Amino acid sequence: MSSFLINNILWLKAFHVFFMIAWFAGIFYLPRLFVNHAETKSTDVAQQLKGMEKRLLYFITPFAFFTLVLGLAIIHAYGLDWFVAAKWLHIKLSLVILLFVYHGYCFKLVKTFAQDENTRSGRFYRIFNEVPVLILLVIIILAYVKPM
């Protein structure tokens, strides 16, 4: 691999990680807002949380797509032979798909809260908040340890 290609891959990786961190900051915080929203009795607080939830979700969504596009660019830069041989990456990509499903479900939850139709408890959202944490842990192990 040429030094030019290696240098480009490193830049792609740096921005991929940056956008992934920005995305996850929001994905970790949004369910905490859901917890507060599910547990509040105050309509004023609920109104404020509705705005915060919507703004946060729309703010972090581009980060999710930049993460994906840069990840795909890295795969393209390494090439098809590398992709086929990197079994760990196939699992990672499956988990990324799961994260996009989670992210999409957050849009449904924001809409549910906006329409005052939430029926789930704060406990549900506390558990819901752990899903991306666990997925991220596995993704990091796969990406850095490459156990397969």
Side-chain angles (χ1 to χ4, degrees):
M1 212 182 272
S2 73
S3 64
F4 175 77
L5 184 57
I6 291 170
N7 192 38
N8 284 339
I9 289 172
L10 292 176
W11 279 105
L12 289 172
K13 285 181 177 182
F15 282 105
H16 175 70
V17 170
F18 170 79
F19 285 115
M20 184 269 310
I21 290 169
W23 177 26
F24 270 86
I27 282 296
F28 290 162
Y29 186 57
L30 184 59
R32 296 304 308 163
L33 293 175
F34 295 157
V35 169
N36 294 337
H37 201 153
E39 294 179 348
T40 189
K41 304 278 188 252
S42 167
T43 54
D44 289 339
V45 171
Q47 285 303 114
Q48 183 177 14
L49 288 167
K50 287 177 188 181
M52 292 172 69
E53 292 158 355
K54 183 178 178 181
R55 285 189 305 272
L56 178 60
L57 185 56
Y58 281 93
F59 178 73
I60 65 170
T61 296
F63 300 146
F65 286 104
F66 288 138
T67 301
L68 178 63
V69 168
L70 290 164
L72 293 174
I74 293 165
I75 292 169
H76 179 73
Y78 275 111
L80 182 60
D81 291 338
W82 174 82
F83 175 73
V84 170
K87 301 299 181 209
W88 63 270
L89 182 59
H90 302 167
I91 298 168
K92 178 186 173 191
L93 290 173
S94 297
L95 292 171
V96 169
I97 291 167
L98 186 59
L99 284 168
F100 271 88
V101 169
Y102 181 95
H103 190 107
Y105 187 64
C106 286
F107 275 97
K108 180 190 179 311
L109 293 174
V110 166
K111 183 178 178 183
T112 298
F113 276 113
Q115 296 172 344
D116 296 320
E117 295 176 353
N118 177 57
T119 58
R120 299 186 188 257
S121 68
R123 185 172 190 269
F124 169 84
Y125 293 109
R126 282 185 180 85
I127 295 167
F128 181 73
N129 191 39
E130 299 307 318
V131 172
V133 173
L134 297 173
I135 293 173
L136 179 60
L137 174 63
V138 175
I139 286 175
I140 289 172
I141 290 169
L142 289 167
Y144 287 92
V145 178
K146 296 175 180 56
M148 294 160 214

